[in-house]
Structures are given as structure tokens and as C-alpha cells.
């Protein structure tokens, strides 16, 4: 854990920041007021809040949770000038991960169609491979599919969650949560020990927008929770795109409505790259000319460091088990799900990564080895 500036009591400023954020009656606005003029230790000393600062700090240290406070070391520069920026931020992984690459939020419904899952996983894999960090909420559905595609593909994935970082939610995405934290960062405004309460999700969605250069809604119902992220982005002048969907699908009512309201249509990753370029955000290495040059399935950068030379039959990468379920004869997603036991977001994410490695390809919705 980082050492803070200290205060004479042997504990760093981050310990007092965590303690203030752990007081039940202190919400985001009150926390901002408390830390607007004072360092965390001074704000704690002036308050009469009960609590064992050392024990709270130990809980965060034991879980490997970094604590950043507004104005202190490690606080994301992206948030510095936002009037609603969290006064205290908690992180598993690398707190600087969100500042190293362009960021695009991929968000949407928790009950997506197969179409939505496939699009989210493909966009996640393609953006990460191009050097863009995918930001999402680690929820079931579109969020999880986007991160399944983004992990192990390039730029560090970024997650923003509602509850404490010591208790992954939803439990079904615990392994994905661990991969995102290992490769990038998982952020929360909630200290360890805080339950994932309903009111915290709109707060989470506000932070998700703050950390993004562009927001893309893949699938959403007419009043879906992803629209909180859209509102937060629009209030900050952050471009919002939406993926067109069937007029017969309830999960596309929200995205089609956003298009009618003037959001830019997203029919491929090149549309997202164009939105980044229009904001003056370049890909790593200044590859502004990459806009529109979006690799198709199987045309990625080639086998990764774990691949064994000699062809796809000897592929030894992290998705080896999924690769083994493929053959030269195209098979359906249902077949692959039965054989591998994987759920659809994880399956689509793995297939997109294999396509990026050049060892698998999509054939009209079915998949085969190349």
C-alpha cells in the first residue's frame, strides 16, 4: 500500500480517508465537504465520528485495496476538475491504469440478447487490441460480455462497481472481476465492508461516465439503468453512441431511442474510433490514422506470446480449452456452450480473443478453427 503524508499518529492519510468514507451517515456530498479544505486526518480529528481508524485501514490493506483521496497521491487526473468527483476512491489493481490509455465505456442491459452479447464481446476485444481501455460495470449481461472480450487483449480493462471491493458482486462474475483487477483496475466509491445497495448503482454509473472518453450503449431497454450513464456523460459533454437494434426487440428500445435523440450510431469499432478522434483522443503511439482501419475476425496481430509456432493445431494460449472444442467444421455457440460449460458472455469473449490470435473465425454465427 502507498504511504500517505502521515499525521503523527503513525497512520497514513489514506487510512483516515477510508475511515471517513466508512461512516454510515456520511454520503458522497458530505464527504466532499469534509475534505474540501482539510486533509483526511484533520477532517477526522475535527469530527466526532466513532470508529477504529487502524482497524478500518487494516481491513483495506489485507484485501489489497488502494485508497485515493481527492488531492492526494494516485488520484486519477481525469477526475480532478469534475465538481461531482468522489472525494475518496477505492481501487483493486493499478490506480494509474485509467490514465494510461484512451477509455471507452461499453454498457447495457443485464438481460441482453445473443446479438448484444456478441457485439459487446467483439467491441471489447477489438478496442483493447487497438490500445483502448474498456470501461464497464462488471454487471451480468452487456457489462460482463464487454470485459470478457477485453481481458487479455491489450489495453488494461477498467471496472467501476457499486459495493465494497472485498465482496465481488455479482458472485457469478467473481473470476472476471479478479482478471480485470489483475490486468487493469476495479474502482469503487464504497469502502470495504459496504453492501451493494440499490442507491449505489446510479452513483456508480456517474463515475463510470467520468472515467470515459466516449460512452457506447450496446443494448438497453427504454428505461434501462445504462441511461444513468448516458445522462452523466451528456452533462459532461462526453460523446454517447448507441448500437442500432431490431424495432421488435425490447432490449433495443433504449438504444434506438438514443439514436432518435441524436446519439451517434455505432455499427462497428471504426465509429467509436472516429468519436475518439473528434475529441482529439489518439490511440497509443499517436496512431490517429488507425480510425477506420478495424481488423476483422482472424486478422488480428497474430499469435500471442503463449502461442506455439507451427499453426493453430498447437495453440497454447489462455483460451486453450475453448480452442480444443473447435474443429475445421463450423459449430454453433450452443454446441460450444454445452461442450465447454461456459456461459455465453465468457464464450463470446474467448472466441473473440481466439479470432484476434488468428486461430479461429466466425462463419455466419458459427465458429471454426482457421
Amino acid at each position: 500500500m502507498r504511504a500517505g503524508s502521515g499525521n503523527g499518529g503513525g497512520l497514513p492519510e489514506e487510512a483516515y480517508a477510508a475511515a471517513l468514507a466508512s461512516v454510515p451517515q456520511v454520503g458522497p456530498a458530505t464527504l466532499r465537504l469534509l475534505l474540501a479544505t482539510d486533509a483526511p486526518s484533520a477532517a477526522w480529528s475535527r469530527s466526532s465520528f466513532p470508529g477504529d481508524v487502524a482497524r478500518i485501514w487494516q481491513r483495506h490493506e489485507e484485501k489489497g485495496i488502494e485508497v485515493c483521496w481527492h488531492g492526494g497521491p494516485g488520484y486519477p487526473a481525469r477526475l480532478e476538475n469534475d465538481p461531482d468527483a468522489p472525494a475518496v476512491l477505492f481501487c483493486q489493481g493499478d490506480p494509474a491504469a485509467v490514465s494510461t490509455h484512451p477509455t471507452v465505456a461499453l454498457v447495457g442491459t443485464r438481460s441482453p440478447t445473443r446479438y448484444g452479447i456478441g457485439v459487446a464481446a467483439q467491441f471489447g476485444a477489438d478496442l483493447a487490441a487497438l490500445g483502448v481501455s474498456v470501461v464497464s460495470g462488471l454487471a451480468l449481461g452487456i457489462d460482463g460480455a464487454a470485459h470478457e472480450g477485453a481481458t487479455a487483449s491489450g489495453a488494461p480493462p477498467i471496472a467501476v462497481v457499486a459495493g465494497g471491493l472485498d465482496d465481488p458482486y455479482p458472485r457469478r462474475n467473481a473470476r472476471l472481476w479478479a482478471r480485470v483487477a489483475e490486468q487493469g483496475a476495479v474502482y469503487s466509491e464504497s469502502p470495504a465492508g459496504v453492501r451493494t445497495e440499490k442507491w449505489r448503482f446510479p452513483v456508480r454509473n456517474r463515475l463510470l461516465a467520468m472515467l470515459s472518453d466516449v460512452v457506447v450503449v450496446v443494448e438497453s431497454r427504454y428505461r434501462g439503468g445504462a441511461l444513468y450513464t448516458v445522462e452523466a456523460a451528456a452533462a459532461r459533454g462526453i460523446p454517447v453512441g448507441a448500437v442500432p437494434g431490431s424495432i421488435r426487440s425490447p432490449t433495443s428500445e433504449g438504444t434506438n431511442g438514443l439514436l432518435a435523440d441524436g446519439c451517434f450510431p455505432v455499427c462497428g469499432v471504426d465509429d467509436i474510433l472516429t468519436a475518439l478522434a473528434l475529441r482529439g483522443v489518439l490511440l497509443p503511439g499517436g496512431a490517429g490514422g488507425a480510425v477506420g482501419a478495424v481488423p476483422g475476425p482472424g486478422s488480428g496481430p497474430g499469435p500471442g506470446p503463449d502461442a506455439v509456432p507451427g499453426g493453430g493445431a498447437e495453440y497454447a494460449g489462455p483460451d486453450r480449452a475453448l480452442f480444443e472444442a473447435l474443429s475445421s467444421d463450423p459449430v454453433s455457440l450452443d454446441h460450444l456452450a454445452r461442450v465447454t460449460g461456459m456461459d455465453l458472455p465468457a464464450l463470446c469473449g474467448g472466441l473473440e480473443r481466439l479470432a484476434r490470435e488468428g486461430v479461429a473465425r466466425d462463419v455466419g454465427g458459427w465458429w471454426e478453427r482457421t
Side-chain angles (χ1 to χ4, degrees), residues 76-351:
R78 289 176 177 272
L79 304 177
E80 287 286 354
N81 298 319
D82 194 299
D84 291 327
V88 180
L89 193 61
F90 300 88
C91 175
Q92 277 185 334
D94 180 7
V98 75
S99 303
T100 59
H101 292 72
T103 54
V104 170
L106 297 177
V107 297
T109 178
R110 287 175 171 79
S111 302
T113 63
R114 178 175 290 182
Y115 162 76
I117 289 174
V119 168
Q122 179 186 349
F123 284 1
D126 288 349
L127 287 169
L130 289 166
V132 178
S133 284
V134 172
V135 184
S136 207
L138 271 178
L140 298 177
I142 295 299
D143 288 21
H147 271 142
E148 287 284 3
T151 52
S153 292
I158 305 298
V160 185
V161 299
L165 297 178
D166 57 329
D167 186 19
Y169 176 89
R171 291 294 177 89
R172 209 167 110 193
N173 279 352
R175 290 185 180 179
L176 178 59
W177 176 308
R179 293 208 310 275
V180 171
E182 180 182 359
Q183 298 170 25
V186 181
Y187 296 94
S188 178
E189 292 185 55
S190 302
V194 167
R195 293 185 300 111
T196 307
E197 300 165 294
K198 188 174 181 179
W199 68 269
R200 295 183 184 274
F201 285 98
V203 174
R204 181 276 305 268
N205 290 351
R206 170 189 113 270
L207 178 57
L208 200 154
M210 286 185 201
L211 293 174
S212 303
D213 294 314
V214 172
V215 170
V216 174
V217 185
V218 178
E219 274 190 328
S220 173
R221 293 180 179 271
Y222 183 67
R223 298 188 182 277
L227 301 186
Y228 285 110
T229 307
V230 170
E231 292 174 4
R236 291 164 174 80
I238 297 169
V240 177
V243 177
S246 169
I247 61 173
R248 296 178 176 177
S249 173
T251 58
S252 291
E253 289 177 351
T255 47
N256 290 341
L258 289 173
L259 293 172
D261 289 340
C263 293
F264 70 91
V266 180
C267 299
V269 171
D270 52 343
D271 295 321
I272 303 173
L273 299 182
T274 299
L276 286 171
L278 289 173
R279 291 204 79 194
V281 179
L282 298 179
L283 300 185
V291 173
V294 182
S299 61
D306 294 325
V308 177
E314 298 178 83
Y315 176 76
D319 293 301
R320 175 67 187 241
L322 177 55
F323 174 79
E324 292 292 342
L326 296 169
S327 70
S328 57
D329 295 321
V331 293
S332 68
L333 289 176
D334 288 336
H335 171 81
L336 291 172
R338 287 195 301 271
V339 170
T340 63
M342 300 170 71
D343 62 21
L344 199 54
L347 183 63
C348 289
L351 288 170

